[in-house]
Amino acid sequence: MTYILTAHTTMHSQELGGKGAALAQLQALCLPIPEWFVVSPSAFYDSLTEEQQEVLATGTICQVIAALHLNHKVKAELAQALNQLSPHGEPVAVRSSAVDEDGADYSFAGQLESFLFVPVEEVADRVVEVWRSGFGDRLLAYRQQHNLGNPKPPAVLVQRMVNAEVAGVAFGADPVTGQRGVTVISAVAGVGDALVSGEVDGQTYRSDRQGTVISSPTDTPLLNRETLKQITALVRQVGAHFGRPQDIEWALENHQVYLLQARPITGLAKQPDPDGQLNLWDNSNISESYSGVTTPLTFSFARRAYEEVYRQFCLLMGVDKTVVENNDQTFNRMIGLVQGRVYYNLLSWYKVLSLLPGFQVNRRFMEQMMGVKEPISDDILESIGIQTQKKVALSVRILDGLRLLGTVAGLGLNFILLPDKVKHFYQRLAQVLGQKFKGLDLQDLRADELVAHYRDLERQLLRSWDAPLINDFFAMIFYGILQKLCQSWCKESGGMLQNDLISGEGGMISAEPAMRVKELAGLVAKDGELTQVFCEGELGVIFSHLEKCPEVAQKYEAYLEKFGDRCLGELKLESPTLFDNPLLLLRSVGQLAKSGKTLDSVSVSAKLRQAAEAKIGKNLGHFGLKRSLFDWVLYNARERVRDRENLRFERTRLFGHVRRIFVELGKRFVSLDLLDDDRDIFYLEVNEILGFVEGTNTCTNLPGLVELRKAEFAEYEKNGEIGDRFETRGIVYQGNRFQENQTPVAPFDNPDTLQGLGCCPGIVEAQVRVITNPENAILEPGSILVAERTDPGWIMLFPAASGVLVERGSLLSHSAIVAREMGIPAIVSIPGVTRSLKDGDWVKMDGSTGTVER
């Protein structure tokens, strides 16, 4: 058996240990490495006596280590190797080279003994001391801390000692900041053991990827420019060979830089590169539609929809088609998925905004219209290639203004044609959703026919979303103008006047489900037994009672037919609809019937509207140019906000139809033994599903993909929420923490007072009910509903609520609009309300001022 290993004894590479194996690879590159050899760990075992081996087998390692000496054969091989390495008795360095030492995850730095300037006659003793350090208390504690199992004797590296004038370490990336493009070199006079051990700081030099020194000592430098170039080139060459940045030890002797050892920089993979591409993620407005963890099918569908919709939006706004095509990647990244949660990619949104005519002269207005809460700094915009007004030449701004005038003219035409566009959109939607593919229902179609039907749906509707886009744009414009006129002309400071003016409009489909729930509750309340069954019975029992109550059954079926797709998380394709589980609807009806309380919401919202109109008359009179202009803006704000909600309901219908197509595809795949469960389809992406049928997939192992993603997304659920707004650098999914940039602070001095945006007036004193998941929640009538966010699926709880407090949302969010329409006092955008309030807390809320007092 050979106990002495070198770079040429490759059959023993596993026994070379971390340092030895690295040096063996690098020696093949002809790098300046001092001569070396390794004492194999097998020398440790063969040096044990039979008695020591028996003791070692019992696990009593201390006794063995204390009495360990090299046997004659090992000593003879060691002496022969030393004679070749140090023919004139030159001193050597003796270091550990453990198998798991100097890895990418654990360096074992400082855990094992190292010896410098060792006389050849003392090398054998030093080898034994290195072995002993491999079983010391310090190293055992380190291995236990990192769950690395029981220790084994390390290989021992013996290397010619460089009589260094200067020595130190070099990092192929900055280990502190994580910058991959920066080389960090530390140097001390003499040998580098004091630097490595941390006894001295040494001099630090930093250079960029071009080799330019970006920082160096102000005192007398130890390294000149030529030596810095040598060290920089050396550490980069080593990193290039191993495929990752390295931490090397080097020594300078007679103007020659020697490489002593190399290892990966530990922990670097857990750090993002701060010089990498910046992305800014925000879920402020999108979390209402896609709350919590979202499946791959929903995200891939939503990403395609956002990409197409905003491409259309730019074309409608007069952006040149070539410009839109050249920014394809921007539209492709409007939203992202971070740990299973959907976020806006704000920088993509700003790039889209910058394409619009007038961005240079009217950026702040655009930000307000798009709902941007915290504008991005000019420096960030300039870093991604967006010119800001302060850096743009006057001629460019004038040209942008002229383009804006042209766009305004086009918008004027779109505004005139909008009623017809909305009408034709409804007709096209009804036709597409109403028509049958080959005259067959979805459940009768083959998988390839379902895919063809989806493709047709995508072509006719998803790529022709003009009416909702134009209407949304004008809704934001007219609402914003109305708000400014109320503030400037009517001296309104609370921000409620414009909300009251657009309430009670009627014809808003978002409020209709609550009205129908109230109507159903009124019918159910006539029968005490039926009320009890609705409150406590199982579905089968409820349905059997419904058969005896044809009027209630007819109203219930009518509700499902129209609003069956309007469920919790209705834009998430995986969300169970009321068709799947109507229990939430039935329980809400039962609780409201049991209470005997109903809300005359129409009269409440009508009174709010009348009072607001009276205030306008008092401030502006009933005639004159100002009043005429105000009335025109008000009329259009009411029309556009109403149509905005109604068109969003049509979006719900479309998403519901898409959901049914994919559910049917899931059933086909199960019947063909391609999936185990039809709901597994939600763990596949749109292109993977369509491509499997059409023959364009690169992976056909659908069960394997599903299993992999189920495990990953279950972990996302387990990990809980991440930040609402955060930035990432470089590779989005590597090293970034997905947490807020700043430590959150308490939003209010008084913990018993909270502040949000009042969106429907009224003062309510009642107990709160904090609901995180309304699926099985019961809201006692008269309670104040507290939620982090709401979507249309929550509407069934609204009739029982005396007030609504929402942590997220804006004045144009669904909960705000529905609360105003129903006349329920409501406050949105209350930071931390779901954490500040507990079930049963008594609070006083003021929907006008937005204050909540415990």
Side-chain angles (χ1 to χ4, degrees):
M1 176 174 289
T2 301
Y3 299 119
I4 303 302
L5 309 176
T6 67
H8 305 293
T9 52
T10 53
M11 71 286 294
H12 299 289
S13 58
Q14 288 294 320
E15 292 198 329
L16 286 171
K19 290 186 180 70
L23 290 177
Q25 291 189 48
L26 295 173
Q27 198 160 320
L29 303 179
C30 299
L31 295 181
I33 301 172
E35 296 81 359
W36 59 276
F37 64 80
V38 163
V39 181
S40 165
S42 59
F44 169 87
Y45 293 108
D46 286 357
S47 293
L48 299 177
T49 64
E50 291 184 5
E51 182 181 357
Q52 286 174 329
Q53 289 178 358
E54 291 177 3
V55 172
L56 183 64
T58 66
T60 314
I61 192 70
C62 297
Q63 296 179 23
V64 174
I65 291 298
L68 182 65
H69 291 90
L70 297 183
N71 68 21
H72 294 297
K73 186 176 180 181
V74 174
K75 280 185 176 182
E77 282 200 27
L78 178 60
Q80 184 179 357
L82 284 169
N83 188 49
Q84 294 179 359
L85 183 67
S86 301
H88 304 293
E90 298 92 341
V92 297
V94 180
R95 295 187 176 95
S96 63
S97 182
V99 173
D100 46 8
E101 188 178 4
D102 292 343
D105 297 317
Y106 307 103
S107 69
F108 284 81
Q111 301 301 318
L112 294 105
E113 293 289 358
S114 291
F115 303 96
L116 304 181
F117 296 103
V118 179
V120 290
E121 61 271 16
E122 296 180 10
V123 170
D125 292 337
R126 295 294 177 263
V127 169
V128 172
E129 289 187 49
V130 171
W131 280 338
R132 286 172 179 160
S133 70
F135 298 92
D137 293 340
R138 182 172 58 184
L139 186 128
L140 292 174
Y142 182 88
R143 298 187 70 91
Q144 186 176 14
Q145 178 186 354
H146 297 287
N147 298 314
L148 296 178
N150 294 324
K152 294 181 179 179
V156 181
L157 174 68
V158 180
Q159 190 171 35
R160 180 181 72 80
M161 191 71 211
V162 176
N163 191 20
E165 299 137 15
V166 182
V169 296
F171 298 92
D174 192 321
V176 177
T177 67
Q179 290 172 283
R180 273 56 166 189
V182 172
T183 300
V184 180
I185 300 171
S186 293
V188 293
V191 295
D193 59 327
L195 178 66
V196 174
S197 65
E199 294 177 23
V200 297
D201 293 333
Q203 292 184 348
T204 301
Y205 305 77
R206 302 171 84 246
S207 59
D208 61 19
R209 286 183 292 182
Q210 287 72 39
T212 304
V213 177
I214 55 180
S215 68
S216 60
T218 56
D219 298 330
T220 305
L222 293 170
L223 303 176
N224 58 33
R225 186 173 298 276
E226 185 58 36
T227 304
L228 283 172
K229 282 185 178 180
Q230 284 188 54
I231 299 171
T232 301
L234 185 62
V235 72
R236 288 183 179 171
Q237 190 174 358
V238 174
H241 174 76
F242 287 114
R244 62 178 67 204
Q246 298 287 302
D247 162 9
I248 71 169
E249 290 185 26
W250 56 270
L252 178 66
E253 182 182 48
N254 295 326
H255 306 291
Q256 172 65 56
V257 174
Y258 290 95
L259 173 65
L260 305 182
Q261 66 178 56
R263 59 190 174 208
I265 301 175
T266 56
L268 197 61
K270 299 175 183 178
Q271 290 179 270
D273 189 336
D275 293 330
Q277 180 181 344
L278 172 68
N279 280 295
L280 190 57
W281 306 95
D282 192 296
N283 70 356
S284 299
N285 293 327
I286 203 169
S287 60
E288 182 179 335
S289 301
Y290 299 100
S291 62
V293 172
T294 298
T295 61
L297 178 58
T298 290
F299 173 71
S300 60
F301 175 73
R303 190 175 67 82
R304 289 159 68 106
Y306 271 88
E307 176 182 357
E308 191 58 46
V309 161
Y310 282 94
R311 187 178 277 113
Q312 292 177 39
F313 177 69
C314 285
L315 293 172
L316 287 169
M317 291 292 289
V319 179
D320 186 84
K321 186 177 180 181
T322 303
V323 174
V324 172
E325 291 173 350
N326 289 340
N327 284 272
D328 183 68
Q329 286 303 309
T330 299
F331 292 104
N332 194 34
R333 299 172 60 214
M334 299 298 291
I335 60 174
L337 194 70
V338 181
Q339 292 198 355
R341 293 164 173 85
V342 182
Y343 284 82
Y344 285 137
N345 186 329
L346 283 190
L347 298 190
S348 289
W349 281 76
Y350 268 86
K351 286 181 180 178
V352 169
L353 282 180
S354 71
L355 300 179
L356 302 179
F359 176 75
Q360 299 297 344
V361 297
N362 215 8
R363 170 182 155 193
R364 297 305 177 194
F365 180 74
M366 287 185 177
E367 288 173 335
Q368 181 182 353
M369 292 300 97
M370 297 297 287
V372 176
K373 286 186 176 182
E374 300 176 31
I376 295 177
S377 71
D378 288 351
D379 291 341
I380 291 179
L381 294 182
E382 288 163 10
S383 73
I384 60 172
I386 297 178
Q387 290 183 310
T388 56
Q389 191 166 355
K390 66 181 182 181
K391 295 288 183 69
V392 175
L394 179 61
S395 59
V396 175
R397 278 182 274 167
I398 292 174
L399 181 61
D400 193 42
L402 293 174
R403 289 175 60 223
L404 178 60
L405 289 176
T407 300
V408 169
L411 284 173
L413 179 62
N414 274 309
F415 177 70
I416 295 171
L417 298 176
L418 183 55
D420 284 337
K421 285 181 177 288
V422 171
K423 179 182 176 182
H424 292 146
F425 177 80
Y426 278 125
Q427 292 173 348
R428 188 168 71 250
L429 187 75
Q431 180 183 359
V432 172
L433 294 184
Q435 69 185 11
K436 295 183 178 181
F437 190 88
K438 295 185 177 181
L440 298 171
D441 292 325
L442 291 181
Q443 62 264 29
D444 299 319
L445 298 179
R446 300 188 310 267
D448 59 310
E449 291 174 324
L450 286 165
V451 168
H453 179 45
Y454 173 81
R455 293 288 194 195
D456 192 47
L457 195 73
E458 191 176 50
R459 177 180 56 81
Q460 294 189 60
L461 285 178
L462 295 179
R463 296 177 185 171
S464 302
W465 209 251
D466 53 344
L469 276 173
I470 298 170
N471 187 82
D472 269 13
F473 183 73
F474 282 116
M476 289 187 289
I477 286 179
F478 280 109
Y479 182 83
I481 295 174
L482 179 64
Q483 185 177 33
K484 289 185 178 299
L485 292 182
C486 287
Q487 291 170 352
S488 58
W489 288 2
C490 304
K491 312 304 179 188
E492 168 65 18
S493 58
M496 288 300 305
L497 186 57
Q498 77 274 5
N499 297 332
D500 296 347
L501 286 169
I502 64 173
S503 65
E505 176 66 12
M508 190 176 292
I509 202 164
S510 297
E512 188 177 334
M515 307 301 181
R516 291 200 181 201
V517 167
K518 185 178 66 173
E519 184 181 10
L520 262 172
L523 293 173
V524 172
K526 297 177 182 178
D527 185 330
E529 183 182 0
L530 185 61
T531 299
Q532 191 70 17
V533 168
F534 265 57
C535 289
E536 300 175 4
E538 299 298 326
L539 279 177
V541 178
I542 297 175
F543 289 152
S544 64
H545 276 72
L546 276 177
E547 293 176 358
K548 306 170 189 175
C549 307
E551 185 179 8
V552 176
Q554 186 271 327
K555 294 287 185 184
Y556 165 73
E557 292 295 339
Y559 185 100
L560 276 190
E561 183 179 354
K562 189 167 187 178
F563 298 108
D565 288 317
R566 180 136 274 191
C567 59
L568 300 170
E570 64 183 18
L571 298 188
K572 298 170 71 170
L573 301 180
E574 66 271 16
S575 297
T577 67
L578 289 177
F579 294 115
D580 300 317
N581 182 12
L583 197 58
L584 174 60
L585 168 63
L586 299 169
R587 289 283 190 262
S588 298
V589 169
Q591 289 297 323
L592 195 59
K594 184 179 179 181
S595 72
K597 299 177 182 179
T598 57
L599 292 169
D600 190 4
S601 54
V602 176
S603 64
V604 172
S605 58
K607 289 176 181 177
L608 294 174
R609 178 168 169 151
Q610 290 169 7
E613 288 174 343
K615 187 172 183 179
I616 297 301
K618 182 178 179 181
N619 282 276
L620 299 181
H622 298 282
F623 304 100
L625 182 60
K626 263 191 174 183
R627 180 58 192 257
S628 297
L629 179 58
F630 188 93
D631 286 347
W632 181 76
V633 171
L634 175 59
Y635 170 79
N636 282 288
R638 286 170 171 171
E639 291 281 304
R640 301 285 68 81
V641 170
R642 180 202 63 204
D643 284 353
R644 178 176 181 263
E645 284 298 299
N646 292 349
L647 287 167
R648 287 189 172 190
F649 173 69
E650 299 306 320
R651 179 185 63 180
T652 299
R653 291 182 59 211
L654 172 62
F655 274 55
H657 194 75
V658 169
R659 177 187 289 114
R660 286 189 286 276
I661 290 174
F662 283 112
V663 167
E664 289 297 330
L665 276 166
K667 292 177 180 177
R668 303 299 175 279
F669 285 8
V670 169
S671 70
L672 296 170
D673 297 325
L674 299 172
L675 293 177
D676 295 328
D677 186 278
D678 54 12
R679 288 190 64 82
D680 286 350
I681 199 79
F682 297 119
Y683 289 92
L684 301 173
E685 296 182 4
V686 170
N687 282 341
E688 292 169 344
I689 298 168
L690 304 183
F692 190 88
V693 175
E694 297 173 333
T696 58
N697 273 15
T698 57
C699 177
T700 58
N701 182 8
L702 301 187
L705 282 175
V706 168
E707 182 181 3
L708 179 71
R709 288 184 180 146
K710 275 186 172 181
E712 183 174 351
F713 279 68
E715 193 66 25
Y716 294 150
E717 290 276 13
K718 179 181 175 183
N719 291 342
E721 295 290 337
I722 55 179
D724 295 328
R725 180 170 176 146
F726 54 84
E727 66 177 42
T728 59
R729 288 281 185 175
I731 302 174
V732 173
Y733 299 132
Q734 178 271 326
N736 292 290
R737 295 177 56 247
F738 313 131
Q739 297 298 325
E740 304 285 348
N741 294 332
Q742 296 179 343
T743 303
V745 296
F748 310 109
D749 294 332
N750 184 351
D752 291 329
T753 301
L754 306 175
Q755 183 67 49
L757 294 176
C759 54
C760 186
I763 296 175
V764 179
E765 293 186 26
Q767 284 184 302
V768 303
R769 174 79 163 89
V770 181
I771 296 179
T772 55
N773 180 6
E775 187 172 348
N776 299 309
I778 296 176
L779 183 68
E780 293 293 333
S783 300
I784 295 175
L785 170 63
V786 179
E788 182 182 2
R789 57 174 72 87
T790 66
D791 62 25
W794 290 67
I795 193 67
M796 289 167 286
L797 297 176
F798 275 42
S802 61
V804 176
L805 303 176
V806 184
E807 189 162 321
R808 303 172 186 266
S810 67
L811 294 176
L812 283 181
S813 61
H814 179 80
S815 53
I817 288 174
V818 172
R820 284 197 296 269
E821 200 63 20
M822 297 180 64
I824 304 174
I827 305 172
V828 298
S829 192
I830 315 171
V833 67
T834 55
R835 298 182 295 276
S836 299
L837 298 180
K838 308 297 181 188
D839 280 348
D841 283 353
W842 277 87
V843 303
K844 178 181 180 181
M845 61 169 287
D846 189 333
S848 296
T849 63
T851 58
V852 183
E853 298 177 12
R854 199 193 308 272

